[in-house]
Amino acid sequence: MASAGVIGTTAGPVGTGQDNARARDWAEIQERMLVPLYEAVHDRLEVGPATSVLGLGCRSGLALLLAAGRGAQVTGLEQDGELRALAGGRGLRVGPGHRPTADVARSAYSLVTVFEQPPPAGEPRRTVAAAARLVLPGGHVVLAAWGPRERCESAAVLDVARRMARRSGARDPFELSPPGALEDLLAGTGLRPAGGGRVGCPFAYPDLDSAVRGLLSTGLYDAAAEFSGAPLVAKELEEALQPYLRSDGTVRMANVFRYLIAERPR
């Protein structure tokens, strides 16, 4: 059984002020949008004191924090140093990287979560294979992705990233949304599908500036900012968000996320 003390909380080199600000925007603005997803998974799998959780790509650790609040033993991995530092500030032990280090590989967990899609091409399949090696017999791996594009009002706003990157290879947030896409990642891992579901995760912001900052913190607009410049991307985002701007100045977009539970047979 793994414990929260498996990995140290080294934050890595200090990033630029812009990187630090973006990490804070994720932790303070954007991450909470996914709480319904985290809670649905924890409820479905009855996460509690008997659960040991490894979060692969755990960002600033809110999902782990919620699991720890239920009594679970939690450990995380995150490749972004600023996000790791924020997770450490929440009292979590999060190590560097997205796939397991030697220390993590010596342990096994009853639940391994992959709530965030790894950005490099081909990475999801390798990450799932790593998760399969770390889960205990009878344990579970949970994968998550955006739901159908037509059920996500944020799709039009996310499309700004594709349009402004203007090159092949820009990350498609909906690449794992089609039926069977998550299930296909289990091939050759020894894991078998054991259920899943869809969860409404509205993106709700107090104002337009918070919406822009929150969306930029996801990393989905990085290629666009590199190609077209960050100020222009932010301006295009503001325009794309106008249909979701309410009379009181708040911004709200209805979205659906899906999750897949995979089990390692005993």
Side-chain angles (χ1 to χ4, degrees):
M1 190 72 70
S3 72
V6 173
I7 307 175
T9 55
T10 54
V14 176
T16 66
Q18 184 176 3
D19 290 339
N20 291 332
R22 189 170 77 165
R24 288 195 302 273
D25 285 343
W26 170 266
E28 296 172 4
I29 300 173
Q30 193 64 28
E31 192 173 26
R32 62 183 174 83
M33 309 299 174
L34 299 178
V35 166
L37 170 64
Y38 303 153
E39 295 284 30
V41 169
H42 293 165
D43 287 344
R44 179 79 173 265
L45 294 175
E46 299 181 345
V47 169
T51 312
S52 55
V53 182
L54 172 64
L56 296 183
C58 66
R59 309 289 277 171
S60 52
L62 182 55
L64 292 178
L65 196 66
L66 294 171
R70 293 169 177 246
Q73 303 171 73
V74 301
T75 300
L77 287 178
E78 172 55 48
Q79 59 191 1
D80 184 280
E82 287 75 27
L83 290 171
R84 286 200 308 276
L86 290 172
R90 289 171 162 174
L92 298 168
R93 299 252 177 131
V94 176
H98 200 99
R99 290 193 299 275
T101 60
D103 285 343
V104 179
R106 286 196 289 267
S107 301
Y109 304 81
S110 60
L111 173 61
V112 181
T113 60
V114 187
F115 285 126
E116 287 292 316
Q117 178 186 338
E123 189 75 11
R125 193 172 298 278
R126 292 194 293 271
T127 299
V128 174
R133 294 192 295 271
L134 288 163
V135 69
L136 290 164
H140 298 94
V141 173
V142 173
L143 313 177
W146 284 84
R149 185 184 294 267
E150 63 273 13
R151 296 283 305 279
C152 298
E153 290 184 334
S154 294
V157 177
L158 295 173
D159 195 51
V160 170
R162 181 193 59 78
R163 289 191 289 103
M164 300 196 71
R166 298 181 186 174
R167 60 178 175 84
S168 60
R171 182 177 172 190
D172 179 7
F174 294 95
E175 65 178 300
L176 295 177
S177 300
L182 287 177
E183 289 80 357
D184 287 346
L185 297 177
L186 304 183
T189 65
L191 300 172
R192 62 187 182 195
R198 293 183 178 182
V199 184
C201 292
F203 284 11
Y205 308 93
D207 51 53
L208 192 58
D209 177 67
S210 295
V212 171
R213 287 163 50 205
L215 289 165
L216 290 176
S217 75
T218 64
L220 293 171
Y221 297 86
D222 288 359
E226 182 180 351
F227 186 90
S228 301
L232 184 57
V233 171
K235 180 176 180 296
E236 290 292 324
L237 258 181
E238 287 186 7
E239 293 184 7
L241 286 164
Q242 291 302 315
Y244 311 104
L245 181 63
R246 299 187 168 193
S247 58
D248 62 358
T250 61
V251 177
R252 184 180 176 88
M253 295 173 283
N255 298 301
V256 171
F257 282 73
R258 64 181 294 245
Y259 65 90
L260 171 69
I261 299 172
E263 182 179 46
R264 179 181 173 185
R266 294 182 185 276

